[in-house]
Amino acid sequence: AQTVTQSQPEMSVQEAETVTLSCTYDTSESDYYLFWYKQPPSRQMILVIRQEAYKQQNATENRFSVNFQKAAKSFSLKISDSQLGDAAMYFCAYRRLGTSYDKVIFGPGTSLSVIP
Amino acid sequence: ETGVTQSPTHLIKTRGQQVTLRCSSQSGHNTVSWYQQALGQGPQFIFQYYREEENGRGNFPPRFSGLQFPNYSSELNVNALELDDSALYLCASSSGVGSGNTIYFGEGSWLTVV
């Protein structure tokens, strides 16, 4: 069974600084997606960034980038120039490809605080 | 805004009762999934509906059931409510299955069982 682990329950960062959130996962599959979702107090799950496992190049979306290490099964999220609006729960997630249904497996989450 | 709407936003039920939660998927999306998110945890997959049929299920008992309608909206029904069913229930919609299509989540329905 696939699992997703986030070892940092809480993190904090100074506004305008950079922070990295860690994630490891376990799977025997070769085709999958990895995601980082943001969940603010409104509780809506918002997709931040996604990475296809077959792509070696790390995904980037504006201030958000990932470090994808497939062999190590590691998938960290770097947030640059942190803003107050980045404060939220961040979930690392995994989704296998090529199945008859789409099941997203989430990690336990990291609560990010941004200090003004 | 993702275009996925859920109702009700909050509700309180008594142990043993039944509850129905509703979800309208984003326009053009024929796939709906439901997730349970207990306080302080990540969401857990309950089941998925594709073209009105349940096509995948997580580790949840049969008292968790669902429906998908011809307009692709969906319901989650939970019978014989237990205290541990208290959680945020998230609906997600997408187009198709097994591909890399983006999944869009609603804002959830908070269920408290007392």
Side-chain angles (χ1 to χ4, degrees):
Chain A
Q2 297 90 7
T3 59
V4 177
T5 302
Q6 294 175 252
S7 59
Q8 306 154 317
E10 297 178 354
M11 292 282 285
S12 62
V13 62
Q14 290 284 146
E15 194 176 2
E17 295 296 308
T18 296
V19 65
T20 298
L21 308 184
S22 301
C23 171
T24 58
Y25 60 97
D26 188 26
T27 184
S28 57
E29 305 297 329
S30 58
D31 293 329
Y32 53 88
Y33 283 102
L34 294 167
F35 308 88
W36 279 98
Y37 281 92
K38 170 185 177 182
Q39 189 177 44
S42 69
R43 306 303 288 180
Q44 184 162 41
M45 201 70 73
I46 301 166
L47 179 64
V48 174
I49 198 167
R50 80 177 199 178
Q51 174 80 43
E52 292 87 342
Y54 66 86
K55 290 186 177 180
Q56 293 187 346
Q57 186 173 6
N58 290 323
T60 299
E61 288 286 343
N62 301 315
R63 298 182 294 107
F64 300 88
S65 62
V66 298
N67 184 2
F68 173 47
Q69 302 289 329
K70 191 172 184 179
K73 296 180 181 175
S74 170
F75 183 61
S76 62
L77 174 69
K78 185 172 80 171
I79 306 174
S80 303
D81 185 25
S82 296
Q83 301 175 359
L84 295 177
D86 294 333
M89 283 292 292
Y90 285 82
F91 292 95
C92 179
Y94 164 99
R95 177 173 142 200
R96 180 182 165 188
L97 280 179
T99 56
S100 60
Y101 63 97
D102 298 316
K103 173 183 175 180
V104 180
I105 299 171
F106 290 85
T110 296
S111 178
L112 178 66
S113 302
V114 180
I115 304 166
Chain B
E1 292 295 327
T2 63
V4 180
T5 58
Q6 295 185 239
S7 63
T9 306
H10 296 83
L11 71 166
I12 300 173
K13 289 286 188 177
T14 302
R15 188 172 51 183
Q17 285 188 317
Q18 179 265 344
V19 68
T20 297
L21 307 179
R22 295 177 175 82
C23 173
S24 293
S25 59
Q26 186 178 107
S27 178
H29 285 184
N30 55 13
T31 305
V32 173
S33 302
W34 286 90
Y35 289 79
Q36 181 196 66
Q37 186 178 13
L39 198 62
Q41 298 182 22
Q44 293 196 10
F45 177 78
I46 302 175
F47 46 55
Q48 180 178 78
Y49 277 81
Y50 173 60
R51 293 183 177 177
E52 303 178 57
E53 296 286 333
E54 181 183 304
N55 69 329
R57 189 176 187 92
N59 189 25
F60 281 81
R63 60 188 185 84
F64 285 78
S65 63
L67 284 172
Q68 188 179 31
F69 301 99
N71 66 354
Y72 302 131
S73 65
S74 177
E75 288 182 353
L76 165 64
N77 299 289
V78 187
N79 295 320
L81 283 167
E82 301 176 359
L83 297 179
D84 285 348
D85 296 334
S86 296
L88 178 70
Y89 288 85
L90 294 167
C91 172
S93 76
S94 61
S95 178
V97 295
S99 65
N101 290 336
T102 299
I103 295 174
Y104 296 90
F105 286 84
E107 294 189 4
S109 293
W110 272 111
L111 171 64
T112 301
V113 182
V114 297

